[in-house]
Amino acid sequence: MHLTSARRTLVVTAALGLALASAPAVAQPQATASANAPVKVSLTVKGPDGRLFKGKIKTKGHDVTTATGGTHRCDGTNAGANPSAVPTPTAALDDAARKRHFTWDGTWYASFDDFSVDTIKNVSGGGVAYWNIAVNGTSIPVGGCQFKLSAGDKVAFTWTAF
């Protein structure tokens, strides 16, 4: 009886080993491209007297520094909008300003975890207007550091009277 039990254990172990060896491998998750990979977008800035800037810009989410607002992240994770860093409209504006040598400024609002764009190329909204941000012709429903951009998006900052 002891010999029969030992044989069963050996046979079961061998069968289990063969089954596991011949079973298909479990698929491992594929490495995904970084969500914050740079994307190329079209950026337009329209002031009260016409176009202030138009061009294609390569951007990704990053820390942004303004004279008024200081340095803060602007990578889509602001206010929990996205689970990981992504390219954003305000980061695109910041990249364009640095690469094309123009200025912009914005106030940081901790309660919104985002910047308010106040001035672009020395044109400010003041008490009569604000800088509206639209992507593909639609005003964005969140702040410019929260909205996720995709390659080919058309980003517009437009001086808009109240």
Side-chain angles (χ1 to χ4, degrees), residues 11 34 45 75 104 112 128:
V11 170
S34 169
V45 178
D75 66 2
W104 78 277
F112 296 112
V128 298

Side-chain angles (χ1 to χ4, degrees), residues 36-39 41-43 53 56-66 72-78 85-100 102 104 108 114-115 117 120 133 135 140 143-149 155 157:
N36 196 26
V39 297
V41 299
S42 297
L43 177 68
F53 175 83
K56 295 198 182 286
I57 194 74
K58 195 175 212 179
T59 190
K60 68 179 195 168
H62 59 82
D63 286 352
V64 166
T65 303
T66 68
H72 302 278
R73 74 177 188 275
C74 187
D75 66 2
T77 62
N78 301 64
V86 296
T88 66
T90 302
L93 175 65
D94 187 62
D95 285 333
R98 285 188 289 121
K99 291 175 184 168
R100 303 290 173 87
F102 65 87
W104 78 277
W108 176 257
D114 215 321
F115 286 95
V117 176
I120 303 175
I133 306 170
V135 175
I140 61 173
C145 290
Q146 298 172 29
F147 190 87
K148 178 183 177 183
L149 292 178
V155 180
F157 285 79

Side-chain angles (χ1 to χ4, degrees), residues 12 15 24 44-45 48 61 72 79 111 130 156 159:
V12 169
T44 304
V45 178
H72 302 278
S111 59
Y130 66 98
W159 188 90

